[in-house]
Amino acid sequence: EGQLVESGGGLVQPGGSLRLSCVASQFNFGGHWMSWVRQAPGKGLEWVASIKSDGSDKYYVDSVKGRFTFSRDNVRNSLSLQMNSLRVEDTAVYYCARVSRYAFDPWGQGTLVTVSS
Amino acid sequence: QTVVTQEPSFSVSPGGTVTLTCGLSSGSVSTGHYASWYQQTPGQAPRTLIYTTDSRSSGVPDRFSGSILGNKAALTITGAQADDESNYYCVLYVGGGSWVFGGGTKLTVL
């Protein structure tokens, strides 16, 4: 079925940077697109970014374009989300998820990013 | 900008049937949007219920079903149970490697 484990969340000041990681196991990581989805406290889910299986193309929601960079390492079965120029509105639980048949499955347990002064 | 619409809240009686919908602010939802549905309880990661409009994810009871109803994607729960009380989210693939989630429906079973 697959397993995903995120890490790297924490408290950061507005304008600061943070790097999230996600390690995958128990599935053919290099054969799948992957994504990040976030959820602000008390709010709904928001797709943030996706990356092709070979890392050749990345796609971002407009609100993070130019600030977030999504990358993957198919040898280490890992993902990274480099987040720069963070804003208060980026505060959320960030989930990594496998893209399978245009759906997100499975999901990691999430990592909380708090942007506050 | 693409906006995906869901009912903010819905209520169903135990044993009853409820249909939640997922629409577009402009235009119709088709199979080409590959609608998927997720169940989420507070503090937990989402659980995938339905993918590509009407396919049930592994381990999901058959009382959950997906379809296209009119110009929207739909999630129907037949024989609702108390532990179906959750938030339900749909997401549509809008092309160009991008997805858009609906705002979610809070389902109450009472």
Side-chain angles (χ1 to χ4, degrees):
Chain A
E1 279 288 328
Q3 186 174 10
L4 299 164
V5 178
E6 304 96 334
S7 61
L11 175 63
V12 62
Q13 292 188 336
S17 298
L18 209 57
R19 187 178 186 90
L20 304 184
S21 298
C22 173
V23 176
S25 60
Q26 300 172 31
F27 69 93
N28 176 24
F29 179 76
H32 289 270
W33 285 42
M34 299 295 295
S35 291
W36 289 94
V37 176
R38 67 184 177 183
Q39 186 169 36
K43 303 296 184 182
L45 300 170
E46 179 183 35
W47 170 79
V48 174
S50 290
I51 189 168
K52 283 188 174 180
S53 54
D54 63 0
S56 59
D57 286 294
K58 301 109 184 230
Y59 308 91
Y60 302 92
V61 69
D62 285 348
S63 60
V64 309
K65 282 179 182 174
R67 301 188 299 123
F68 289 13
T69 302
F70 194 359
S71 60
R72 65 187 296 162
D73 183 336
N74 285 350
V75 173
R76 294 179 172 79
N77 286 1
S78 65
L79 305 172
S80 290
L81 186 67
Q82 177 66 41
M83 304 186 296
N84 298 331
S85 303
L86 281 162
R87 305 168 180 168
V88 171
E89 54 265 34
D90 294 319
T91 295
V93 174
Y94 285 72
Y95 297 99
C96 65
R98 179 182 67 182
V99 179
S100 178
R101 289 167 286 199
Y102 294 91
F104 304 111
D105 184 61
W107 298 63
Q109 85 289 350
T111 187
L112 176 62
V113 172
T114 303
V115 185
S116 174
S117 54
Chain B
Q1 179 166 343
T2 302
V3 176
V4 175
T5 60
Q6 293 185 250
E7 300 86 359
S9 62
F10 229 117
S11 183
V12 63
S13 300
T17 296
V18 63
T19 297
L20 312 181
T21 67
C22 177
L24 283 168
S25 54
S26 62
S28 298
V29 177
S30 70
T31 54
H33 288 100
Y34 304 100
S36 52
W37 291 88
Y38 305 84
Q39 178 189 52
Q40 188 186 35
T41 52
Q44 299 296 314
R47 170 198 183 196
T48 309
L49 297 175
I50 301 289
Y51 61 92
T52 57
T53 304
D54 58 5
S55 297
R56 247 184 319 275
S57 190
S58 176
V60 174
D62 60 7
R63 55 201 181 77
F64 291 90
S65 62
S67 64
I68 296 286
L69 282 182
N71 62 350
K72 297 181 179 182
L75 174 71
T76 299
I77 307 172
T78 304
Q81 300 181 0
D83 61 2
D84 294 336
E85 187 160 296
S86 294
N87 294 309
Y88 292 85
Y89 295 92
C90 71
V91 67
L92 302 179
Y93 179 69
V94 295
S98 301
W99 283 259
V100 179
F101 278 91
T105 297
K106 181 179 175 65
L107 180 67
T108 301
V109 181
L110 53 75

